[in-house]
Amino acid sequence: MHELTIAEMARGLREKRFSSVELTQGFLDRIAALDGQYNSFITVCAEQALAEAAAADAALAAGDAGALAGIPIAHKDIFCTDGVRTSCASKMLDNFVPPYDATVVTRLKQAGTVMLGKTNMDEFAMGSSNETSFYGAVRNPWDRERVPGGSSGGSAAAVAARLAPAATGTDTGGSIRQPAALCGITGLKPTYGRVSRLGMIAFASSLDQGGPMARSAQDCALLMNSMAGFDPLDSTSAQREVPDYSAGLAQSLEGLRIGLPREYFGAGLDPDTAKAIHAALAELEKLGATLVDISLAHSDLAIPTYYVIAPAEASTNLSRYDGVRYGYRCEDPADLLDLYTRSRGEGFGDEVNRRILVGTYALSAGYYDAYYKKAQQARRLIKQGFDACFEQVDVIAGPTTPGPAFGLGAKKDDPVAMYLEDVYTLAVNLAGLPAMSIPAGLADNCPVGLQLIGRHFDEARLLNIAHRFQSATDWHQLTPPGGAA
Ligand code: GLN
């Protein structure tokens, strides 16, 4: 049963071929048997999941079930879950049990999903390898000596290893797309404001966006139908109608113009990854699309701009963890200042501390104009670069990452090498655009992700292209060797 897609599971449940309790138990058994190898979950909610599954079965029998009734999913441990520990993979929140659900969690609950548990991630979503987690690194199901990507590495690994049919993720600079690429699954980072950020622990508020991670575009569309939409409790949430993301999946790609930015195919791109991407693009051409060479102006500014803005916002967001209100508190503080310094010093890991230092520096009175203000100006240029491309083409395509999954520990002590991993994903967040990563081949026996970037609120188009590609190819069907045993 664990090989079924969400769409197939939903059909099976409605046709009473199996119950949600059976389905849920099946995944819980797999997690218990296999997750020791991957460390993709921080918390497993077996009892609660079975109770939710029984309720879903009752609703299905009564005929008043939601669209995703009885479908087990996992949530990244950055989404607040009422009564269930939400750690953000930090010692700081190791003891934090939220009194409410994030809007994403509420909506997926209302649709009838069953929560299997909370997935591992980089601490406070800062990282590209899932090695900064307080709960230990996650391993890539394709090769356990490699990283799954980050920061939503637990969600990606769990879906790839068939420990959950789908999971939520968040993407501030690539954290849905990059792990999706490295684990061979499908991930969608929606337009900024499309999915509510309420109850999603803040990293960089002007960049953070939640989205679905699953095995296919069709499944991502089903999840988006529930996740997307206006939330009066999130002031940056977009007041725009939500289309039926499943309705347009099969549309023809005839006449579609796909832009290939030369900046995404230059030096630094692994040759085997490039080969897989070109083959995938040729497939899209066969499906009716026209490939257009374009230039994405200012894409070289993405890394420096992001690594000023994201730490700046992080440093202010993380000031709330002070050892007083909630979260970790040091032992026997001598006075208030000692309480603050030691609680924060002991509660945050190295990467989080590094971001706070960089961010505080960039925002300080003497350097604000030189760094933060400059970065805001560069951000505008990056957005204008995309605007110019979208006058010529409908979507932009290229690799999601410069290469396949790298070895555990390979970049851990070299922050700059780690930051370069995001070279193709960051600009999208700075411009607030939607983007996807879909499995598009193998390099070095590990998955390669094709990235599709769309105009604001054009998620339906991205899902359509991804679905057509997945109807014509089977890269998304590949199972990690031994991983889905
Ligand atoms: N890897 C990037 C960072 O470390 C992006 C993380 C994310 O999208 N949450 O900031």
Side-chain angles (χ1 to χ4, degrees), residues 3 39 44 48-49 65 68 81 84 96 135 139 159 180 208 217 320 341 343 350 364 378 380 409 439 443 461:
E3 285 293 347
N39 196 26
V44 179
Q48 180 177 325
L68 297 172
T81 40
V84 175
F96 175 54
Y135 304 95
R139 288 162 180 270
V159 173
D208 297 342
R320 72 190 63 170
T341 20
S343 298
D350 289 349
S364 61
R380 173 157 295 262
R461 169 86 70 146

Side-chain angles (χ1 to χ4, degrees), residues 76 125-128 150-151 170-176 203 306-307 310 355 419 422 426:
K76 183 176 182 178
M126 298 170 188
S128 308
S151 64
T170 62
D171 193 313
T172 303
S175 279
I176 287 178
F203 164 8
Y306 174 89
Y307 278 102
R355 305 277 177 120
Y419 298 171
D422 305 325
L426 297 175

Side-chain angles (χ1 to χ4, degrees), residues 188-201:
L188 167 66
K189 177 243 173 247
T191 308
Y192 182 76
R194 176 80 291 187
V195 168
S196 168
R197 288 186 300 114
L198 179 94
M200 199 174 99
I201 295 175

Side-chain angles (χ1 to χ4, degrees), residues 107-439:
R107 290 192 178 198
L108 286 168
K109 211 181 246 182
Q110 281 165 353
T113 60
V114 168
M115 180 172 80
L116 293 168
K118 309 289 299 284
T119 55
N120 206 344
M121 54 182 281
D122 278 299
E123 184 180 5
F124 283 104
M126 298 170 188
S128 308
S129 66
N130 218 123
E131 292 169 295
T132 70
S133 168
F134 175 59
Y135 304 95
V138 175
R139 288 162 180 270
N140 191 319
W142 287 82
D143 176 351
R144 289 193 290 123
E145 293 312 312
R146 300 194 204 204
V147 304
S151 64
S152 311
S155 291
V159 173
R162 278 51 169 173
L163 304 185
T168 51
T170 62
D171 193 313
T172 303
S175 279
I176 287 178
R177 290 161 285 156
Q178 188 254 12
L182 302 195
C183 289
I185 67 161
T186 304
L188 167 66
K189 177 243 173 247
T191 308
Y192 182 76
R194 176 80 291 187
V195 168
S196 168
R197 288 186 300 114
L198 179 94
M200 199 174 99
I201 295 175
F203 164 8
S205 307
S206 76
L207 301 163
D208 297 342
Q209 185 61 200
M213 302 175 78
R215 300 234 310 281
S216 67
Q218 190 183 29
D219 283 357
C220 284
L222 285 172
L223 291 162
M224 274 298 282
N225 285 341
S226 298
M227 289 170 79
F230 178 64
D231 179 359
L233 298 175
D234 169 4
S235 62
T236 59
S237 146
Q239 215 155 351
R240 262 177 101 110
E241 214 180 305
V242 179
D244 178 348
Y245 291 107
S246 304
L249 286 176
Q251 260 175 47
S252 154
L253 302 190
E254 216 61 58
L256 179 79
R257 292 163 304 164
I258 302 180
L260 313 180
R262 84 170 73 92
E263 294 77 5
Y264 281 29
F265 292 89
L269 178 61
D270 159 62
D272 289 341
T273 300
K275 221 159 124 198
I277 296 297
H278 284 297
L281 292 168
E283 189 64 46
L284 288 172
E285 213 173 9
K286 263 200 254 160
L287 291 169
T290 310
L291 305 180
V292 186
D293 287 321
I294 56 168
S295 173
L296 180 56
H298 308 299
S299 46
D300 56 326
L301 296 179
I303 293 188
T305 304
Y306 174 89
Y307 278 102
V308 170
I309 291 179
E313 294 186 12
S315 72
T316 57
N317 273 326
L318 269 55
S319 66
R320 72 190 63 170
Y321 305 107
D322 55 7
V324 176
R325 287 168 287 192
Y326 60 102
Y328 177 78
R329 175 180 296 179
C330 67
E331 297 278 339
D332 301 325
D335 53 28
L336 188 62
L337 194 62
D338 186 44
L339 170 78
Y340 288 155
T341 20
R342 278 206 293 123
S343 298
R344 289 169 66 78
E346 292 166 18
F348 292 135
D350 289 349
E351 183 60 25
V352 174
N353 276 321
R354 184 179 296 123
R355 305 277 177 120
I356 293 173
L357 288 172
V358 171
T360 312
Y361 183 85
L363 289 177
S364 61
Y367 295 100
Y368 184 91
D369 285 354
Y371 294 108
Y372 189 70
K373 198 165 152 213
K374 252 262 143 57
Q376 293 289 24
Q377 290 161 345
R379 183 175 188 172
R380 173 157 295 262
L381 292 176
I382 290 167
K383 183 185 168 292
Q384 287 167 351
F386 278 112
D387 291 345
C389 289
F390 286 126
E391 279 174 19
Q392 279 176 272
V393 297
D394 305 305
V395 294
I396 294 171
T400 307
T401 62
F406 46 94
L408 281 164
K411 302 187 182 184
K412 199 166 177 239
D413 299 320
D414 186 351
V416 175
M418 192 70 92
Y419 298 171
L420 282 171
E421 180 67 17
D422 305 325
V423 64
Y424 305 132
T425 50
L426 297 175
V428 162
N429 301 69
L430 290 165
L433 298 168
M436 285 189 82
S437 181
I438 57 175

